[in-house]
Amino acid sequence: MTVHNLYLFDRNGICLHYSEWHRKKQAGISKEEEFKLMYGMLFSMRSFVGKMSPVDMKDGFLAFQTSKYKLHYYETPSGLKVVMNTDLGVGNIRDVLHQIYSNIYVEFVVKNPLCSLSEPIQSELFHAKLDGFIRGLPFFSARAG
Amino acid sequence: MADSPLFQALHMEMAHALCAEQEKGLGALEGVGFRVGQGLSERLTKETPSFKDELDALKFLCKDLWITVFKKQVDNLRTNHQGTYMLQDNQFLLLSQLSNGKQYLEEAPKFLAFTCGLVKGALSNLGFDSTVTAEVPVMPSSKFQVVIQKS
């Protein structure tokens, strides 16, 4: 069980942060293109899920999975999007993604006057805390599962 | 201060805005801190008897004032018993979100100016004229040096 990588997007589609822990295959395109692709897909997926839902929608798009990995999605009311790719052994981690937002992003980016909220995050403290948090998750193992 | 998030956010913006012009900004921030310090020390010492000497006043600063504003006590107080005191706070509230080491070190003075004024104002209201300087060896710890003027 492991975490592959993590993206953080702001409400305008700018990728604020990306880090990876176990990624065996790259996308074959540049990082900017990859971020745009990811954001575009999420945007379309969200509106698709809302439109085509046969019942009243509660949380909307939560995750998708393939035979090899699962992509988890969490969006805050302020438009910040947290996207995490894990392997298939992981269940619903919305509360983990929420913790990343409230305990790490809010604490070390929003409360840091030197971090501009619409630019990629430069704060090393944020990187360190995020990395420590992810490595401490119960479903993160140092060897790719 | 009951609304710590409010104070932190306000202080953040204040430091950022006032320090757009370097020199005047730091002075203005310290002035604001001075008046806040005067008022705060007045309110906090309403019930307590007057201080025997300056060491007691410094101890009040390190304990009660620091707890009220920064939610913790000063970690270390040193003195040379000749009017110079050194207050050390290892997890300074206003710096702890910024960095854990060397990043952003050059921006740190902006975020200390208000507190320097706060200490100065509090002491002046208790009857001691002083100069206060601050330095940051490594984030988020900070040291405030207080030199009491002998009148």
Side-chain angles (χ1 to χ4, degrees):
Chain A
M1 290 224 291
T2 186
V3 176
H4 296 297
N5 52 11
L6 178 86
Y7 302 76
L8 269 175
F9 292 98
D10 78 346
R11 98 167 66 90
N12 300 320
I14 300 177
C15 183
L16 300 176
H17 180 76
Y18 168 75
S19 41
E20 58 184 42
W21 291 271
H22 297 117
R23 186 175 183 168
K24 295 210 195 106
K25 177 186 154 304
Q26 297 298 324
I29 50 177
S30 77
K31 275 281 175 282
E32 294 84 57
E33 288 182 7
E34 181 180 319
F35 298 149
K36 277 197 261 187
L37 186 62
M38 173 65 83
Y39 186 79
M41 182 281 290
L42 291 171
F43 189 82
S44 312
M45 183 70 93
R46 257 182 53 231
S47 72
F48 173 85
V49 162
K51 283 206 183 82
M52 303 299 266
S53 168
V55 299
D56 280 332
M57 203 171 79
K58 195 163 161 264
D59 290 322
F61 175 56
L62 298 177
F64 74 66
Q65 75 180 58
T66 74
S67 48
K68 288 287 185 182
Y69 73 92
K70 187 167 175 182
L71 178 145
H72 305 260
Y73 174 75
Y74 177 73
E75 182 175 350
T76 73
S78 58
L80 184 85
K81 300 167 177 50
V82 187
V83 182
M84 187 189 283
N85 285 326
T86 69
D87 73 351
L88 295 173
V90 178
N92 185 335
I93 52 164
R94 264 176 91 69
D95 52 336
V96 170
L97 300 181
H98 177 74
Q99 274 178 41
I100 292 180
Y101 168 67
S102 62
N103 296 349
I104 305 183
Y105 178 76
V106 167
E107 282 299 313
F108 299 107
V109 178
V110 174
K111 288 192 182 176
N112 183 342
L114 301 165
C115 277
S116 160
L117 295 180
S118 54
E119 281 170 14
I121 300 167
Q122 309 284 8
S123 162
E124 288 161 14
L125 185 57
F126 170 79
H127 289 192
K129 293 279 176 190
L130 182 66
D131 196 60
F133 178 78
I134 299 282
R135 285 183 195 274
L137 288 173
F139 49 84
F140 182 92
S141 73
R143 291 167 311 133
Chain B
M1 301 200 177
D3 297 325
S4 183
L6 178 63
F7 167 60
Q8 278 190 297
L10 190 62
H11 176 266
M12 228 171 75
E13 286 313 307
M14 224 169 44
H16 220 205
L18 285 177
C19 286
E21 336 133 35
Q22 264 296 37
E23 304 308 323
K24 271 174 43 183
L26 289 182
L29 257 186
E30 209 174 308
V32 172
F34 188 85
R35 287 187 285 288
V36 173
Q38 285 187 313
L40 247 183
S41 68
E42 193 73 58
R43 285 163 135 212
L44 291 178
T45 55
K46 257 188 337 199
E47 312 290 328
T48 51
S50 61
F51 297 109
K52 287 199 317 282
D53 57 14
E54 52 187 48
L55 188 60
D56 269 354
L58 258 300
K59 285 197 205 153
F60 154 78
L61 207 80
C62 297
K63 286 209 183 100
D64 302 313
L65 192 90
W66 225 255
I67 288 186
T68 308
V69 181
F70 301 114
K71 303 276 174 297
K72 62 186 282 290
Q73 292 186 17
V74 163
D75 292 309
N76 205 342
L77 172 67
R78 284 202 280 264
T79 174
N80 65 359
H81 293 292
Q82 270 150 25
T84 305
Y85 299 85
M86 227 267 303
L87 286 71
Q88 181 164 348
D89 188 339
N90 289 330
Q91 271 287 124
F92 191 51
L93 195 76
L94 301 171
L95 290 180
S96 57
Q97 267 86 16
L98 259 72
S99 113
N100 236 2
K102 294 285 174 185
Q103 201 190 16
Y104 297 133
L105 204 58
E106 56 286 350
E107 315 276 351
K110 292 190 213 163
F111 301 98
L112 297 168
F114 176 84
T115 314
C116 288
L118 191 80
V119 171
K120 203 168 160 189
L123 281 173
S124 112
N125 206 29
L126 296 171
F128 305 106
D129 270 324
S130 56
T131 45
V132 184
T133 49
E135 59 176 24
V136 178
V138 68
M139 308 264 238
S141 92
S142 55
K143 292 190 187 159
F144 297 92
Q145 191 182 38
V146 181
V147 179
I148 310 265
Q149 251 81 40
K150 297 287 174 209
S151 47

